[in-house]
Amino acid sequence: MASLLRARNASRGSMASLLRSFSNVPENTVYSGPTAQTPNKRVTLRHLREKHKSSQPITMVTAYDYPAAVHLDTAAVDICLVGDSAAMVVHGHDTTLPITLDEMLVHCRAVARGAKTPLLVGDLPFGTYESDPNQAVDTAVRILKEGGMDAIKLEGGSPSRIVAAKAIVEAGIAVMGHVGLTPQAISVLGGFRPQGRNVASAVKVVETALALQEAGCFSVVLECVPPPVAAAATAALQIPTIGIGAGPFCSGQVLVYHDLLGMLQHPHHAKVTPKFCKQYARVGDVINKALLEYKEDVTNGSFPDVHHSPYKISKTDADVFSSELQKLGLDKAASAAFEAVQKMDTA
């Protein structure tokens, strides 16, 4: 009987270990949490609060796919935002409005597979949370359950958005707010226009940020506002601010992966690359050069050469293969195979 109980307990222990390995519950919570899957632990809200408290700048990058997420993971960026700006940067639209929830979930899942250390935040796309708080909660739940995100971000500070943010927080989901230039509201704003450039607008930015804090948001993005306005909002809040085109006085900064790398050197992308973006590389130029060289190599027949044709067939099998082709009446194919063997041997 004792041995049976020991076996059951061992089985339960192994099952618990298996379940923990699939969990995305942060470590060092009131429960034991999962065993770390990477040498570095996943960034949590607690880590962000500690950085904010000690005035350490928070880094955030917007990314949309697995390769970018792996790079962010390697660089130990604090937060990875899967933004609805994928509509413009990846899908080629002129605004963020067309992207759907299902499309966002594809991007979220890809990023979640690549970024094991950053806190993962997924945007709620336009049209998926405005109707009522229940719709907002349902969408946020899908972003976490189906997208693998740790938190969500929503735009704006109208009373309905504040109610939505509060409802999502009360549902147990971490929320990042977003004020200033809110791209989903370009119909009302009259385009991608900076905010906070007059007294009324500046005060509204600060008041909206405070309302989002009161609703339970763990952080607020400040986009395209003058530095003094961002500084005022950051000083007024007890939660970190993440600036984008908002000057140096925020608690952290965010840029889009493609923008900061200079990924797309193309007229269409040039018109949507913001003025505030610093390009830390011109990867797009490298990509264009590589593609032109590839095209040239294919055109002149220098690629693939013998070094990039690694799969071999023995001379004996090649001879038998040619004979079988001749039996099938495929003399031209048999000759082509024979000549290919000769050329590869010569090379």
Side-chain angles (χ1 to χ4, degrees):
M1 184 66 178
S3 62
L4 178 61
L5 287 172
R6 283 196 296 271
R8 283 181 177 175
N9 289 336
S11 175
R12 287 172 181 168
S14 62
M15 180 60 71
S17 176
L18 178 64
L19 289 174
R20 284 198 300 272
S21 72
F22 285 103
S23 171
N24 65 355
V25 175
E27 292 188 293
N28 301 323
T29 62
V30 290
Y31 300 102
S32 60
T35 301
Q37 298 182 22
T38 61
N40 300 315
K41 297 177 182 178
R42 167 84 73 186
V43 173
T44 66
L45 299 189
R46 179 175 62 83
H47 294 132
L48 296 181
R49 283 193 289 268
E50 289 174 353
K51 293 195 77 167
H52 181 234
K53 185 178 180 180
S54 59
S55 299
Q56 298 180 54
I58 296 168
T59 56
M60 184 162 96
V61 174
T62 302
Y64 315 106
D65 57 26
Y66 175 83
V70 171
H71 284 299
L72 265 61
D73 205 54
T74 302
V77 171
D78 295 318
I79 306 172
C80 176
L81 170 66
V82 184
D84 60 354
S85 50
M88 303 173 72
V89 178
V90 178
H91 297 275
H93 296 294
D94 290 327
T95 73
T96 64
L97 304 185
I99 198 164
T100 66
L101 177 57
D102 287 337
E103 289 171 330
M104 281 296 300
L105 289 172
V106 171
H107 290 293
C108 287
R109 286 191 289 267
V111 167
R113 285 189 285 268
K116 303 300 182 183
T117 304
L119 181 81
L120 303 179
V121 181
D123 258 338
L124 299 190
F126 179 71
T128 65
Y129 64 102
E130 295 88 349
S131 296
D132 58 60
N134 290 331
Q135 183 200 32
V137 171
D138 289 344
T139 301
V141 166
R142 291 191 66 188
I143 292 288
L144 266 65
K145 289 189 69 172
E146 299 177 38
M149 298 289 99
D150 301 309
I152 66 93
K153 181 172 77 65
L154 55 74
E155 291 187 10
S158 65
S160 64
R161 301 295 173 89
I162 301 299
V163 170
K166 189 172 188 296
I168 295 170
V169 171
E170 290 177 349
I173 298 171
V175 177
M176 175 180 279
H178 184 158
V179 301
L181 169 57
T182 48
Q184 292 179 8
I186 59 170
S187 177
V188 175
L189 298 178
F192 295 101
R193 299 182 180 279
Q195 301 298 299
R197 300 179 71 180
N198 58 54
V199 173
S201 180
V203 170
K204 183 179 179 181
V205 168
V206 176
E207 289 180 338
T208 302
L210 286 167
L212 287 166
Q213 175 180 264
E214 182 66 22
C217 291
F218 71 88
S219 178
V220 175
V221 171
L222 302 176
E223 181 169 359
C224 294
V225 300
V229 178
T234 301
L237 294 172
Q238 295 179 333
I239 58 175
T241 58
I242 307 296
I244 178 165
F249 306 113
C250 296
S251 313
Q253 298 291 330
V254 58
L255 286 176
V256 172
Y257 178 85
H258 295 66
D259 291 343
L260 73 89
L261 292 179
M263 184 73 78
L264 297 175
Q265 305 298 327
H266 186 275
H268 174 80
H269 188 69
K271 70 181 180 181
V272 298
T273 301
K275 297 177 182 178
F276 55 74
C277 181
K278 178 178 179 180
Q279 290 191 339
Y280 289 84
R282 291 184 64 86
V283 175
D285 288 339
V286 177
I287 292 173
N288 289 339
K289 181 176 181 292
L291 288 171
L292 288 171
E293 290 178 0
Y294 163 72
K295 178 185 175 183
E296 178 63 24
D297 283 358
V298 172
T299 301
N300 64 31
S302 63
F303 176 83
D305 57 17
V306 65
H307 300 294
H308 299 98
S309 304
Y311 310 112
K312 311 298 182 184
I313 183 171
S314 69
K315 189 176 186 307
T316 300
D317 284 343
D319 291 341
V320 174
F321 177 50
S322 294
S323 297
E324 291 297 322
L325 290 173
Q326 288 176 332
K327 291 177 184 178
L328 294 171
L330 301 173
D331 293 343
K332 187 176 180 180
S335 297
F338 177 78
E339 290 173 7
V341 170
Q342 300 302 313
K343 289 178 179 178
M344 295 304 290
D345 285 345
T346 301

